[in-house]
Amino acid sequence: MGNPSELVSILFGDCPLKAEHYDMAILNLDPETLLISTDAARNAAKPHAEIYQNREPYPYGGFDDFLPPEILDRVLEEMSQLPDAETSFDRAQEKLKTSYQPERLPPYTRALFYALNSRPVLAFLEELTGIRGLIPDPYFMGGGIHRVANGGHLDIHADFNHHKLMNLERRLNILIYLNKNWKEEYGGSFEIWNKDMTEKVEGFVPVFNRMCCFNTSSDSWHGNPETVNHPNGEARMSIALYYYTATWDSTRKGHTTLFKPRPGTADQPDRVIARREWLQDVLPPFIHRKIGHRLQRFGF
């Protein structure tokens, strides 16, 4: 037999090789058990860590062929059984977006979420990002399956920074896309923006088995602001998980999702949240605790 390239040509012809043809997944979870050793997971991240950690304006990365594709194929099969959504948004900043918590999803998809919260995956993410002591969210607050229907979008924003229930600081998001044969012109690309919101730094088309990961902060501006417009009416689907560290303290100010309009667009600021932030800043804390929730009932 000749060299390895000749063997590949004999087996697969001249067509480009796909992930399903050979073991090329970055995080090679076993498709049946969804297990991987901690050492293997950590080693899988090492080739990507330096580039990820030195990205500007904040650490981020896009990784194709992230999981063995048969894992996400099985997830897609189960998506036809989606229950009613826990949350649904249809406003100027987040339109036609719904989310589904893992505990109510079919069994294989639910098991994948638990696997992505496991120690080996934490080892992968810690090696990739350099953030030590990552803590998964067993409550999946805001996480799960995200679905943006045709005509929908999610404007550029910075995420909430405080997990109140566990008193943790949010540090990291991962998004794994489920959209086969998706093209840029179908909209819904994930965008990274600079910290003063003057320009887009990079965009990622939400193609099947692409994972986007980024460090979160109060100015890690990101989103998928371009309207989803798939020619066959298909929704944009993704897996979303968030990770935290035990670094929150009383000097920090918690905030909800903060939206920022892109310059030169019709994006709308979130005036309700802006008013609430203003009230929190100007009212003494003990007064805000007493009357803040009442003011919100009147639109403040």
Side-chain angles (χ1 to χ4, degrees):
M1 186 66 67
N3 62 41
S5 62
E6 291 174 345
L7 176 58
V8 167
S9 180
I10 292 170
L11 291 174
F12 301 113
D14 293 327
C15 64
L17 292 178
K18 302 296 183 183
E20 52 264 44
H21 289 153
Y22 67 107
D23 181 13
M24 63 179 293
I26 292 176
L27 188 64
N28 197 26
L29 300 182
D30 183 279
E32 293 303 319
T33 65
L34 298 174
L35 298 176
I36 187 173
S37 75
T38 298
D39 286 344
R42 184 178 289 111
N43 289 335
K46 287 181 178 178
H48 311 284
E50 183 176 0
I51 293 175
Y52 176 94
Q53 294 174 29
N54 288 288
R55 283 263 173 79
E56 295 289 347
Y58 51 86
Y60 72 90
F63 305 92
D64 289 347
D65 303 309
F66 182 62
L67 296 174
E70 52 265 44
I71 291 177
L72 298 186
D73 283 334
R74 290 180 65 172
V75 170
L76 280 177
E77 288 175 9
E78 292 189 336
M79 289 304 94
S80 61
Q81 307 173 43
L82 279 175
D84 292 337
E86 278 78 25
T87 57
S88 181
F89 300 95
D90 194 9
R91 61 192 186 114
Q93 294 78 26
E94 41 192 339
K95 188 173 180 62
L96 300 179
K97 178 190 171 189
T98 51
S99 62
Y100 307 83
Q101 285 204 331
E103 65 191 43
R104 298 181 61 238
L105 294 174
Y108 189 83
T109 302
R110 185 166 66 246
L112 176 60
F113 275 95
Y114 296 153
L116 293 171
N117 267 2
S118 68
R119 178 67 191 112
V121 175
L122 293 179
F124 173 88
L125 295 173
E126 289 181 348
E127 189 69 38
L128 176 68
T129 65
I131 303 172
R132 301 305 174 195
L134 282 175
I135 300 170
D137 179 9
Y139 302 95
F140 297 102
M141 184 180 295
I145 294 289
H146 289 183
R147 183 181 187 274
V148 181
N150 252 22
H153 60 83
L154 177 61
D155 282 354
I156 299 299
H157 63 281
D159 292 304
F160 70 84
N161 62 344
H162 181 213
H163 194 303
K164 294 180 181 179
L165 187 61
M166 300 198 298
N167 197 32
L168 299 176
E169 179 184 1
R170 185 165 173 173
R171 301 295 302 277
L172 188 67
N173 288 8
I174 71 168
L175 307 165
I176 305 172
Y177 297 108
L178 301 172
N179 314 292
K180 291 200 170 184
N181 304 312
W182 198 272
K183 298 180 180 179
E184 186 174 4
E185 55 263 35
Y186 299 166
S189 288
F190 174 70
E191 297 183 4
I192 298 285
W193 278 68
N194 65 359
K195 293 195 174 186
D196 57 8
M197 276 299 296
T198 57
E199 64 178 352
K200 182 176 77 171
V201 174
E202 192 162 358
F204 296 92
V205 179
V207 296
F208 181 80
N209 208 7
R210 172 172 287 167
M211 187 273 269
C212 288
C213 176
F214 59 99
N215 291 20
T216 60
S217 68
S218 296
D219 55 5
S220 57
W221 303 111
H222 64 279
N224 43 282
E226 294 298 328
T227 301
V228 174
N229 61 341
H230 193 283
N232 297 327
E234 295 180 16
R236 176 192 189 272
M237 304 280 288
S238 59
I239 290 170
L241 296 104
Y242 313 137
Y243 302 87
Y244 300 81
T245 55
T247 48
W248 190 266
D249 61 44
S250 60
T251 67
R252 305 291 304 280
K253 178 185 175 183
H255 60 72
T256 187
T257 304
L258 305 174
F259 286 94
K260 286 279 190 178
R262 295 167 296 166
T265 71
D267 296 354
Q268 298 182 34
D270 192 336
R271 301 191 187 281
V272 172
I273 296 300
R275 285 196 298 270
R276 291 177 184 174
E277 292 284 320
W278 179 80
L279 282 172
Q280 189 174 356
D281 285 339
V282 300
L283 291 177
F286 75 96
I287 294 178
H288 187 268
R289 287 194 296 269
K290 291 286 186 182
I291 68 172
H293 65 285
R294 297 174 186 168
L295 291 173
Q296 289 178 21
R297 295 174 188 170
F298 294 98
F300 288 94

